């Protein structure tokens, strides 16, 4: 599907907010120009990215939600640390936590790099691994300047459901 047909389809839906997510959008060569064209067309555009690719080519009007992979993910080596320098107050950084070790690692990253001073910081639980109640108790105990984010799609719908 061409960028033009994507934008035409979105016009027909008459929605103001577009989020590119799923897999890794930045692996798609057309995602960068598509986001720019969507912004030019007046849409509010968000990008959810794994944080393994450079976010600097993304139009600054796009809200970039950047994951920083935690130890239990097995993907620590994929973290692109220079993305932290590219974050603005318009963006968000997200940590998905599976256990206490992930939490302590993320807490230390927040403190060491003062990412909460650059942009909002989100802490989320790996579904069925870490309870929101436990995470909240740690956040309160440490008085971390972060927001709790729940994977609402897994609360509202069956976590194993696909498509629809």
């Amino acid at each position: 599907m061409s960028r033009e047909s994507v934008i035409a389809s979105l016009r027909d839906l008459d929605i103001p907010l577009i989020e590119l997510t799923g897999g890794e959008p930045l692996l798609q060569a057309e995602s960068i120009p598509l986001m720019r064209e969507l912004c030019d067309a007046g849409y509010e555009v968000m990008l959810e990215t794994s944080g393994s690719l450079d976010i600097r080519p993304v139009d600054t009007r796009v809200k970039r939600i950047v994951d920083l992979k935690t130890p239990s993910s097995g993907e620590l080596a994929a973290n692109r640390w220079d993305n932290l320098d590219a974050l603005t107050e318009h963006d968000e950084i997200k940590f998905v936590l599976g256990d206490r070790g992930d939490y302590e690692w993320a807490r230390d990253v927040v403190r060491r790099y003062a990412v909460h001073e650059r942009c909002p910081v989100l802490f989320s639980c790996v579904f069925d691994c870490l309870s929101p109640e436990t995470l909240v108790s740690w956040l309160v105990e440490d008085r971390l300047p972060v927001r709790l984010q729940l994977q609402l799609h897994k609360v509202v719908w069956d976590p194993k459901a696909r498509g629809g």
Side-chain angles (χ1 to χ4, degrees):
M1 182 180 264
S2 70
R3 290 193 317 266
E4 295 78 18
S5 59
V6 168
I7 292 172
S9 296
L10 292 171
R11 264 193 221 103
D12 291 342
L13 293 173
D14 192 32
I15 53 176
L17 174 67
I18 309 298
E19 181 172 3
L20 276 70
T21 187
E24 175 49 64
L26 293 179
L27 287 174
Q28 307 302 316
E30 294 296 306
S31 67
I32 300 282
L34 174 64
M35 287 184 280
R36 184 184 63 250
E37 291 172 22
L38 289 167
C39 288
D40 290 346
Y43 290 97
E44 181 179 353
V45 181
M46 300 186 328
L47 166 70
E48 193 145 349
T49 177
S50 70
S52 64
L53 300 170
D54 189 0
I55 63 170
R56 287 175 292 190
V58 176
D59 191 297
T60 57
R61 296 173 290 177
V62 173
K63 174 179 244 161
R64 301 170 299 185
I65 304 162
V66 181
D67 280 3
L68 206 54
K69 300 300 184 190
T70 58
S72 75
S73 73
E75 299 180 44
L76 270 180
N79 286 330
R80 187 173 177 123
W81 291 96
D82 60 340
N83 277 338
L84 294 180
D85 294 328
L87 293 169
T88 70
E89 62 187 12
H90 179 66
D91 301 317
E92 295 178 348
I93 189 160
K94 181 175 70 169
F95 298 83
V96 181
L97 311 170
D99 57 28
R100 179 70 189 200
D102 283 353
Y103 170 79
E104 291 174 358
W105 180 88
R107 178 198 61 203
D108 294 347
V109 168
V110 167
R111 289 176 173 165
R112 183 178 326 120
Y113 295 97
V115 291
H116 61 287
E117 294 175 6
R118 298 173 197 252
C119 66
V121 179
L122 310 173
F123 275 28
S124 183
C125 304
V126 173
F127 193 79
D128 277 349
C129 285
L130 176 62
S131 77
E133 296 86 0
T134 298
L135 177 54
V136 167
S137 72
W138 297 338
L139 292 172
V140 169
E141 180 181 322
D142 287 334
R143 304 177 62 85
L144 272 187
V146 305
R147 289 189 345 231
L148 174 68
Q149 181 191 43
L150 300 178
Q151 295 175 308
L152 290 180
H153 63 285
K154 292 185 179 180
V155 174
V156 174
W157 296 287
D158 182 338
K160 295 180 178 100
R162 296 285 182 255

